Amino acid sequence: MSATSLTALARTSDPQTLLRRFLALDAVVTGANGLAYLAVSGPLGRLLGVESALLLALGAFLTVYAGAVALLASRARPAGLPVRAVIEANLAWTVLSLVALTLWLSPTTAGAVWTVLQALTVAGFAGLQYAALRIRQGSSD
């Protein structure tokens, strides 16, 4: 994705704001997902074919993770190392989701589709954040 298309997507050409917006979007979506897992783990577990205890644990983790990403996004200039950690965590989540789907989970069709879609979404966040970080690094040279 080019710098021009990224800035159009984020509606800013400021490299700091670009990165912060993609981090904030990640935090909002991840937080909403985590809160949903916490609030309605029983019905979601039945729909997705996943144990509600697993959804509760994932919900707690995702809510805390989203808070950390939101805190990072709130910084005027998010430090590169924590941003890279978020990118790598997102990539790890993507891989682990697909591995779990293949090797451990036996979800419903809705659960399998959900797992793939959320993995792709998280990979998309990682890609946007990586590109925004690269643009920021290029602008500071």
Side-chain angles (χ1 to χ4, degrees):
M1 186 173 274
S2 72
T4 304
S5 57
L6 275 179
T7 58
L9 180 64
R11 296 179 175 241
T12 183
S13 60
D14 176 52
Q16 294 301 331
T17 305
L18 182 71
L19 179 58
R20 292 176 64 221
R21 283 187 182 169
F22 289 139
L23 288 167
L25 179 62
D26 185 353
V28 168
V29 171
T30 301
N33 196 27
L35 291 174
Y37 285 176
L38 288 172
V40 289
S41 61
L44 276 177
R46 288 187 291 280
L47 174 68
L48 302 175
V50 177
E51 292 292 325
S52 62
L54 175 61
L55 290 181
L56 282 171
L58 290 174
F61 170 78
L62 291 174
T63 302
V64 170
Y65 178 76
V69 175
L71 181 63
L72 183 60
S74 73
R75 304 290 184 209
R77 181 175 170 86
L81 185 61
V83 171
R84 284 189 292 278
V86 167
I87 293 166
E88 290 172 9
N90 283 343
L91 292 173
W93 179 272
T94 299
V95 170
L96 288 173
S97 294
L98 298 175
V99 168
L101 181 61
T102 304
L103 299 179
W104 301 302
L105 299 177
S106 299
T108 62
T109 301
V113 169
W114 175 254
T115 301
V116 171
L117 288 177
Q118 64 83 29
L120 292 173
T121 300
V122 173
F125 288 146
L128 290 170
Q129 292 157 354
Y130 177 76
L133 184 61
R134 298 276 303 184
I135 290 169
R136 184 181 80 177
Q137 290 169 338
S139 72
S140 63
D141 293 341

